[in-house]
Amino acid sequence: MKKSSIILIVIIAIAIAMIVVIYTDSSTYSTFTEAREKKTELYVVGVLNKEKDLHYDPVKDANHFSFYMYDNDSTECQVVFRGSKPQDIERSEQIVLTGKMEGNVFHASKILMKCPSKYNEDEVEVIETSVAPVTAFLGIEKPY
């Protein structure tokens, strides 16, 4: 076999492997029921339960925020976010959480809110909140 044929086969194999990895890693929105079953980090989309209180006390613990949310199947679940309360979460039309279920509580590592725009009635404003690494708060640079 020629050297060029071997290189071409290797390049094709790498391209196929990359396509398989990209498609297996792309995830869709899940529900709280699926999160209980899978025990892995998932995306859950839903709406805030505005009838229940939001629990955030910055004096007691500034990095603990919890609330209740309905997923797309209307299943309610408590959500705990290890960070500060996102601004205007009460105005959100839809919430996308990244995280995983631990027991009966969903622990979110990232919150993405879709809120009505302040400026145009027909537009939607997207606000993202995530947990920052401890090193960022301490001013420590990561060694690379």
Side-chain angles (χ1 to χ4, degrees):
M1 236 182 177
K2 290 183 179 180
K3 213 176 199 180
S4 61
S5 298
I6 294 172
I7 293 172
L8 181 63
I9 291 172
V10 169
I11 291 173
I12 292 172
I14 291 172
I16 290 171
M18 289 175 60
I19 291 171
V20 168
V21 167
I22 289 171
Y23 281 110
T24 57
D25 189 38
S26 64
S27 53
T28 58
Y29 295 131
S30 301
T31 62
F32 289 127
T33 306
E34 292 171 359
R36 277 189 192 92
E37 294 169 1
K38 293 187 179 178
K39 302 287 185 189
T40 59
E41 191 162 280
L42 300 169
Y43 297 99
V44 177
V45 65
V47 294
L48 179 69
N49 181 351
K50 295 181 181 180
E51 295 175 1
K52 292 196 176 179
D53 291 334
L54 307 175
H55 299 283
Y56 180 65
D57 186 1
V59 175
K60 185 177 177 183
D61 186 358
N63 289 320
H64 185 274
F65 172 57
S66 68
F67 58 96
Y68 287 86
M69 184 177 112
Y70 293 110
D71 64 8
N72 283 341
D73 289 343
S74 297
T75 304
E76 183 187 48
C77 184
Q78 182 181 11
V79 177
V80 173
F81 178 62
R82 298 296 303 160
S84 62
K85 177 184 167 195
Q87 185 178 1
D88 294 336
I89 192 166
E90 297 89 357
R91 292 183 341 124
S92 64
E93 292 179 350
Q94 190 176 44
I95 300 173
V96 179
L97 303 173
T98 303
K100 62 182 180 178
M101 196 68 104
E102 293 179 16
N104 289 328
V105 178
F106 189 85
H107 288 266
S109 59
K110 190 182 284 188
I111 298 175
L112 178 70
M113 299 179 303
K114 296 179 182 173
C115 300
S117 176
K118 300 173 195 172
Y119 307 107
N120 297 326
E121 292 180 18
D122 297 336
E123 293 183 13
V124 173
E125 179 182 10
V126 177
I127 302 169
E128 182 176 349
T129 304
S130 62
V131 178
V134 175
T135 56
F137 291 115
L138 300 176
I140 301 171
E141 293 184 24
K142 292 183 183 178
Y144 291 102

